[in-house]
Amino acid sequence: MRAILLAGGLSLVLTLVGTRYAIIVLARHGYGQLIRDDGPTTHHTKRGTPTMGGLVIVLASVLSYLAACLVTGRTPSASALLLMFLFVGLGTVGFLDDYIKISRQRSLGLRSRAKFIGQTFVAVAFGALALAPWFEDSRGQTPAGQTISLIRDPKDLTLPAIVVVLFIWLLIAGTSNAVNLTDGLDGLAAGASVMTFGAYTLVNIWQNNQWCGREPGPTCYEVRDPLDLAIFAAAITGACFGFLWWNASPAKIFMGDTGSLALGGALAGLAVLTRTEFLLALLGGLFVIQTLSVILQVGFFKATKGRRLFRMAPLHHHFEMLGWEEITVVIRFWLIAGIFVAAGLGLFYAEWVAGV
């Protein structure tokens, strides 16, 4: 528990202080956000706001996790190192996307194919390594299970490794893009991420307390490194919390694709490593709704040859176009995110109680 508190607290302080300096440096170099001309007119005033603030989130989270391990005498586990690889890898793809937007002064960064290739490489490498026998612990547990689960691995189901890797790739690509879509209003993605990563911190703490490596039994959790995952999840939670101080309306800085792709990838990685792939759809329900709104908008537009289901997608822009103030949309969407997180944690705990 000491390592969890240290990682979260240190990450919070690093982003509170580091983001302030990042704003100065990014503004000095002209690394400002470009705004779509077809978006809500109220967003035009945001043009030039420093972006790529996700760099601070990624660096603070990684440094805080490593510092917590150093202070408490822990050796970073295979699960945490794989999660770090996914987090930093997708953050790098997002950074390239942001940098191209800024350097070439256009609202589109990496070409869609290049971005897809980058996400695919990182996701497939993560999935393959998470199932590799090289990372088995003394009990033969790999970081990821060879199945797809709601809360724990089914005992009578084993999928081919290629199927699991394919699913992991789809989950990572979908979740990273979902957080990216949600990052369209001041503080929206950062606030929702605080709640979702906070939920995964609690999930990992509970799994560690009921871990099969310590307390074998019918309700124990077969997760390779639950405590290390809790430490890393706490570090990311603290980083998002500290960043939100500067990202809340009116935002002084945006996380950019650097932050949103990294955060989405880390959420998917936590779901895979904690054996809660399907539970992520509930814990991250707000991100699911945002993605579905875009899918429905595009599908309806094509099916009706030009008509729109929403005034604008993702869904948060629809409510802006209806006349809602930006801060009103953000706070109400935070409430929705909180309801989904509470429902997901309730389901997670109810499953354990039912099995006792």
Side-chain angles (χ1 to χ4, degrees):
M1 183 60 75
R2 187 162 62 106
I4 295 171
L5 293 175
L6 177 60
L10 179 59
S11 190
L12 171 63
V13 172
L14 286 177
T15 47
L16 275 174
V17 177
T19 305
R20 179 70 185 93
Y21 286 100
I23 293 170
I24 296 172
V25 172
L26 292 170
R28 182 179 300 156
H29 287 82
Y31 292 163
Q33 179 71 35
L34 297 172
I35 304 297
R36 291 169 48 187
D37 292 330
D38 59 342
T41 56
T42 54
H43 287 211
H44 293 173
T45 58
K46 301 181 182 184
R47 184 175 282 111
T49 301
T51 188
M52 292 196 296
L55 279 171
V56 183
I57 296 175
V58 172
L59 289 173
S61 300
V62 171
L63 290 175
S64 297
Y65 167 75
L66 294 176
C69 288
L70 181 64
V71 171
T72 58
R74 298 184 60 83
T75 300
S77 67
S79 296
L81 290 175
L82 283 172
L83 185 60
M84 188 184 302
F85 164 75
L86 180 61
F87 188 51
V88 175
L90 287 180
T92 302
V93 174
F95 172 79
L96 293 174
D97 191 38
D98 286 333
Y99 184 77
I100 291 173
K101 289 177 187 176
I102 294 167
S103 62
R104 298 186 181 178
Q105 289 295 297
R106 67 187 194 194
S107 59
L108 296 176
L110 280 174
R111 299 295 181 187
S112 57
R113 179 177 296 181
K115 193 172 181 179
F116 174 78
I117 291 172
Q119 289 176 300
T120 298
F121 172 78
V122 175
V124 170
F126 169 82
L129 291 171
L131 292 171
W134 317 320
F135 294 116
E136 288 182 354
D137 62 10
S138 58
R139 299 179 303 114
Q141 282 290 316
T142 53
Q146 206 159 324
T147 183
I148 300 170
S149 317
L150 175 64
I151 292 175
R152 61 181 82 232
D153 285 345
K155 292 184 171 36
D156 55 350
L157 176 64
T158 300
L159 298 174
I162 186 65
V163 174
V164 178
V165 171
L166 178 61
F167 177 81
I168 290 173
W169 165 62
L170 290 171
L171 183 66
I172 291 172
T175 309
S176 59
N177 287 322
V179 177
N180 183 245
L181 289 172
T182 304
D183 185 34
L185 300 181
D186 294 354
L188 179 55
S193 295
V194 167
M195 289 182 266
T196 314
F197 280 105
Y200 265 112
T201 303
L202 295 177
V203 165
N204 281 295
I205 290 172
W206 186 259
Q207 287 182 333
N208 181 63
N209 291 338
Q210 312 295 329
W211 183 42
C212 292
R214 182 185 304 107
E215 297 288 342
T219 60
C220 70
Y221 297 96
E222 281 289 3
V223 178
R224 191 189 187 286
D225 306 294
L227 181 55
D228 274 80
L229 293 176
I231 296 169
F232 208 137
I236 300 176
T237 304
C240 291
F241 215 129
F243 183 78
L244 184 59
W245 179 272
W246 303 103
N247 185 232
S249 183
K252 302 294 189 297
I253 189 171
F254 301 134
M255 68 171 69
D257 285 13
T258 308
S260 60
L261 293 185
L263 292 174
L267 277 179
L270 282 167
V272 170
L273 299 173
T274 58
R275 317 297 208 265
T276 57
E277 292 92 346
F278 289 130
L279 185 64
L280 175 60
L282 189 54
L283 289 173
L286 177 65
F287 303 124
V288 174
I289 289 175
Q290 294 278 64
T291 305
L292 286 176
S293 72
V294 174
I295 294 172
L296 289 172
Q297 181 84 322
V298 173
F300 190 80
F301 185 86
K302 291 181 177 179
T304 59
K305 299 185 180 350
R307 295 178 59 192
R308 299 176 185 273
L309 184 61
F310 304 109
R311 293 197 176 186
M312 189 175 180
L315 192 59
H316 54 260
H317 289 320
H318 170 75
F319 290 103
E320 279 193 290
M321 301 294 276
L322 288 177
W324 290 21
E325 294 289 336
E326 179 177 355
I327 190 64
T328 301
V329 178
V330 170
I331 291 175
R332 288 178 178 171
F333 273 47
W334 280 352
L335 293 174
I336 293 170
I339 291 169
F340 276 116
V341 165
L345 289 175
L347 177 61
F348 178 81
Y349 181 66
E351 187 273 345
W352 182 82
V353 171
V356 173

